[in-house]
Amino acid sequence: MKPKVLLTRRLPAKVVDLLKENFELSVNPYDRALTREEFLSAARGMDGLLPLLTERIDGEALDAAGPGLKIVANHAVGFNNIDVPAATARGVAVTNTPDVLTDTTADLALALMLAVARRVPEGDRICRGGSFPEWNPQFMLGADVHHKTLGLIGLGRVGRAVAKRAAGFGMKLIYAPHGECPQGGVDPVSGAKCLSLDEVLAQADFLSLHVPLTEETHHLLGAAELAKTKPSAFLINTARGPVVDEQALVEALDANRLAGAGLDVFENEPQIHPGLVGRDNVVLLPHVGSATAETRIAMGIKAATNLIALLIKGEEPPDCLNPQVLA
Ligand code: GLV
């Protein structure tokens, strides 16, 4: 008998076919997220879960699946939706989807930097609204991106991929590590200079967030930190919304303590703080960092590969976050 797997949202056909070849697959029949009750009931009796970042996988969810559950293969690189210690305590492996979305997410961070600094969505709205008056040398003046200082907060896979792109724009690269600075004070891969968070906040023209959401990074940028930036600086967030205190961000923008923001993630998705909507100096995207056709297939295949490794081949999944459960 094939192992039972629950897929909580419809994924590309290539991914679903691979899952069906290997598993007795249950798929959310609706074109929406399952309610909590629907999810808990659908999880019952499963050997594996393939959830998205919209599902909270905590002790209750793991217990609802029951003692046969062996693996939760998250369809995201971020896994703040999963209580990994609770899974570990129950002997359940947890995996994520690193690497395949690194470049795609980095591309979007650059897109947000360029869009907000060069006022791209605002210009588009003007053209569509029929209010392109005539060419004017003082019209729609933005800020240069090239040769400015990029301050990366966190320098993991995506942070480094952003640094690589920014180097092509001649940007000066500095970063605040999620941990310690390396010996020599320079990241050997990107060449970015390692500084304290306060120094990065004070020096950066563009701040780009690349830390995971944990208890330590929740509201990493609050009122006190946002008071330390240059008033001409732009904040870019393609990581997780709660890393920024959204209310403090709105207050900083209101007080002209920041020039603008490019945001792909929000504190209470899908809600967006009303103080952000309607501002021309903020570019808003609906959490689409990894949303390309190619990358969404690659993420689905990666999650499926993790499930197949454990449930079919009896091997350690390639992206296991808690390999101790398999020891
Ligand atoms: C998306 O936000 C991800 O973590 O993959």
Side-chain angles (χ1 to χ4, degrees):
M1 230 174 53
K2 289 178 176 176
K4 291 184 184 167
V5 166
L6 171 67
L7 170 61
T8 62
R9 284 306 280 271
R10 291 180 199 160
L11 292 181
K14 210 167 158 180
V15 177
V16 174
D17 290 349
L18 177 62
L19 290 166
K20 280 189 177 156
E21 271 167 37
N22 288 279
F23 304 115
E24 189 182 318
L25 188 70
S26 302
V27 187
N28 169 359
Y30 313 113
D31 198 13
R32 59 161 173 81
L34 294 171
T35 65
R36 180 73 173 169
E37 289 66 34
E38 286 168 344
F39 169 65
L40 293 178
S41 135
R44 195 164 306 133
M46 292 292 150
D47 298 292
L49 302 176
L50 200 167
L52 285 93
L53 49 81
T54 37
E55 272 87 40
R56 193 174 77 250
I57 311 293
D58 52 9
E60 180 190 34
L62 295 162
D63 290 340
L69 185 69
K70 292 167 199 70
I71 176 167
V72 178
N74 209 32
H75 182 277
V77 66
F79 50 90
N80 53 289
N81 58 314
I82 302 182
D83 183 342
V84 180
T88 305
R90 290 162 178 78
V92 176
V94 179
T95 64
N96 65 341
T97 60
D99 304 318
V100 289
L101 46 66
T102 300
D103 285 315
T104 302
T105 308
D107 286 350
L108 195 85
L110 264 288
L112 282 171
M113 275 168 59
L114 292 164
V116 69
R118 298 302 305 273
R119 306 171 62 174
V120 173
E122 191 186 343
D124 181 81
R125 285 192 290 273
I126 286 172
C127 290
R128 285 170 203 273
S131 43
F132 177 9
E134 60 172 352
W135 192 85
N136 173 337
Q138 294 295 340
F139 184 49
M140 289 280 306
L141 301 186
D144 276 330
V145 174
H146 66 86
H147 297 99
K148 293 284 180 69
T149 297
L150 172 62
L152 297 149
I153 299 182
L155 192 68
R157 287 172 288 249
V158 179
R160 280 181 169 150
V162 171
K164 190 171 172 186
R165 285 155 176 74
F169 280 72
M171 295 182 89
K172 179 178 168 194
L173 304 174
I174 58 175
Y175 78 103
H178 181 56
E180 299 291 309
C181 277
Q183 257 196 341
V186 173
D187 174 54
V189 176
S190 63
K193 187 173 174 192
C194 189
L195 298 173
S196 69
L197 178 60
D198 278 1
E199 288 170 317
V200 169
L201 291 170
Q203 294 178 27
D205 299 304
F206 292 85
L207 286 159
S208 191
L209 294 171
H210 300 289
V211 288
L213 174 60
T214 63
E215 272 172 32
E216 292 76 46
T217 63
H218 183 265
H219 284 191
L220 181 66
L221 296 193
E225 291 72 28
L226 293 169
K228 294 175 182 161
T229 62
K230 291 185 186 175
S232 55
F234 295 92
L235 174 67
I236 308 300
N237 192 0
T238 52
R240 284 290 183 267
V243 175
V244 180
D245 178 342
E246 222 162 70
Q247 178 61 34
L249 173 60
V250 168
E251 285 166 20
L253 289 162
D254 281 343
N256 296 319
R257 278 187 272 109
L258 268 181
L263 307 172
D264 183 43
V265 288
F266 304 93
E267 224 181 317
N268 298 303
E269 293 174 17
Q271 271 132 43
I272 301 181
H273 193 298
L276 296 171
V277 182
R279 307 185 79 97
D280 273 334
N281 61 343
V282 173
V283 178
L284 305 168
L285 289 177
H287 200 150
V288 291
S290 64
T292 65
E294 301 95 316
T295 292
R296 285 292 157 82
I297 290 174
M299 289 168 72
I301 300 278
K302 208 172 203 341
T305 303
N306 281 310
L307 288 164
I308 292 166
L310 187 68
L311 296 177
I312 304 292
K313 299 184 181 163
E315 293 171 0
E316 179 176 325
D319 306 302
C320 194
L321 296 163
N322 55 349
Q324 65 271 35
V325 300
L326 306 169

